[in-house]
Amino acid sequence: MTRNDTALCFINKDIERISTQKPYVKEILDAFRPMIIEKKRLLMEMQSNGKTFPLDQGKYLAGVPLVQQCDLFFPGDPWQKISLGVCKAIREGFPNLAENMERLAQQITSGQVNVFEYFRSSDDPDEKEIKAWAEKIPMDPGALGVFIHMAAGIILAKRAREAAEAIAPLSWSKGYCPVCGSFPMLAVTKERGEKWLQCSQCSHEWVHPRLKCPYCEQESPMGTDVVFVDTEKEDKAFLCDKCKKYLITINRPAELEKTDPIITAIGLTHLDLLLQEKGFTPMASCLWNAF
Ligand SMILES: [Zn+2]
Ligand SMILES: [Zn+2]
């Protein structure tokens, strides 16, 4: 077994473990499993292109993320390989999107659709642009949005790893991601009570003050960072009275350090449902928490 096979095997084991502990999230985890595995596989196979990131430290310290300072999508990225892998994973996990993904994959293979062209002009998926692009293919704009989100997430995750060393010594005080500017999908409390926010898009993680709302920056008036959502010990969330956003928060013991935060987040969707019923909205809208 290669190192890559072992890594993919760990993902499957983590999904099985959570599905056994919480049978009510098995279906949703199974739907996302092909996407999680494909993302990991593509990231492991993607070569670093050796590019450096021209970073203005002053701007960075003032809260301007990397994505607003330099290009993070390159023409030399393996767009075709990533795009076809993403189409296949979405098709497997979400049979209702299969027809759309087949049509898109055909057009990518035949060269009628060049995925990089979309990213050349836009850092962030814009609803109007997605709609116009979907009409041309033609395919459902919602399905195309899922595809773009996932393809962008893979490239950005690669960039986050490449940029990690350069940004590590710099302090970042914002609740959005220093690499791609997205809000977090999960907070993880680690050793010494440090709170690490997990990016919903590029998988970067950064430390953030425990009592400050990552979304609107208000300090928690209750003097506490989390409330218990459910009776289970682990089920906690940061709730903000001011912006009415929530962020699910977990304690990560050392033995779970390797679990992909996406698996953890999808395994906690029952909390998303509970919190949204109470009138709160997630800091980051993800494919699995939009009800
Ligand atoms: Zn990010
Ligand atoms: Zn807030």
Side-chain angles (χ1 to χ4, degrees):
M1 217 194 244
T2 65
R3 244 177 77 200
N4 287 4
D5 290 337
T6 311
L8 298 179
C9 193
F10 269 121
I11 291 181
N12 273 318
K13 276 194 183 147
D14 281 336
I15 291 177
E16 296 307 330
R17 176 175 50 79
I18 295 174
S19 297
T20 309
Q21 284 165 358
K22 302 172 181 176
Y24 46 88
V25 292
K26 185 182 183 317
E27 199 179 322
I28 188 162
L29 272 172
D30 281 341
F32 281 96
R33 184 195 306 246
M35 283 199 197
I36 297 168
I37 295 222
E38 192 59 23
K39 181 177 181 178
K40 181 83 178 176
R41 186 201 311 278
L42 288 164
L43 275 171
M44 287 188 299
E45 290 174 2
M46 208 170 151
Q47 305 292 327
S48 268
N49 55 24
K51 284 212 171 148
T52 50
F53 304 94
L55 181 70
D56 180 322
Q57 290 201 6
K59 279 189 186 169
Y60 184 88
L61 297 175
V64 182
L66 219 54
V67 71
Q68 285 170 21
Q69 296 200 34
C70 48
D71 277 339
L72 296 183
F73 300 111
F74 305 133
D77 284 325
W79 290 100
Q80 174 121 350
K81 186 178 179 185
I82 289 175
S83 301
L84 295 177
V86 167
C87 284
K88 185 169 163 276
I90 297 175
R91 214 172 58 209
E92 283 173 17
F94 297 87
N96 58 325
L97 301 180
E99 209 187 308
N100 277 283
M101 289 304 133
E102 268 162 36
R103 200 172 314 138
L104 179 59
Q106 275 166 9
Q107 298 215 6
I108 291 167
T109 309
S110 68
Q112 279 169 283
V113 166
N114 177 348
V115 180
F116 173 66
E117 284 300 315
Y118 177 80
F119 290 94
R120 185 199 293 276
S121 57
S122 166
D123 291 328
D124 214 14
D126 166 305
E127 224 171 274
K128 241 170 85 186
E129 276 178 280
I130 292 179
K131 207 167 160 242
W133 196 26
E135 266 169 31
K136 261 195 257 165
I137 293 175
M139 68 183 285
D140 175 66
L144 183 60
V146 172
F147 166 84
I148 288 172
H149 183 80
M150 195 185 159
I154 293 169
I155 302 272
L156 288 170
K158 188 71 186 171
R159 293 295 108 81
R161 290 174 188 191
E162 290 164 350
E165 207 178 311
I167 60 176
L170 306 173
S171 76
W172 181 256
S173 58
K174 296 294 176 185
Y176 50 83
C177 174
V179 177
C180 74
S182 302
F183 279 98
M185 61 176 183
L186 190 72
V188 179
T189 308
K190 297 194 189 180
E191 314 86 62
R192 302 188 300 276
E194 276 183 349
K195 191 174 188 171
W196 287 79
L197 306 185
Q198 311 289 314
C199 180
S200 56
Q201 179 65 325
C202 77
S203 314
H204 184 69
E205 59 168 9
W206 68 102
V207 74
H208 191 260
R210 212 167 52 87
L211 298 178
K212 196 161 93 173
C213 172
Y215 198 84
C216 73
E217 303 191 346
Q218 166 161 279
E219 291 272 339
S220 165
M222 295 177 284
T224 172
D225 60 329
V226 285
V227 296
F228 290 92
V229 183
D230 211 348
T231 46
E232 285 183 48
K233 200 169 145 233
E234 282 290 289
D235 294 349
K236 293 177 293 184
F238 179 94
L239 302 183
C240 180
D241 277 349
K242 192 178 165 196
C243 67
K244 295 283 173 201
K245 297 278 181 192
Y246 70 85
L247 182 63
I248 291 169
T249 303
I250 60 156
N251 288 327
R252 170 149 293 175
E255 72 264 22
L256 290 181
E257 191 66 46
K258 285 198 173 80
T259 303
D260 189 325
I262 290 182
I263 300 177
T264 306
I266 297 175
L268 292 168
T269 40
H270 56 295
L271 300 185
D272 287 285
L273 197 61
L274 273 170
L275 290 161
Q276 290 181 31
E277 276 170 5
K278 287 180 200 284
F280 289 89
T281 51
M283 286 194 191
S285 171
C286 302
L287 296 173
W288 57 86
N289 68 12
F291 298 109

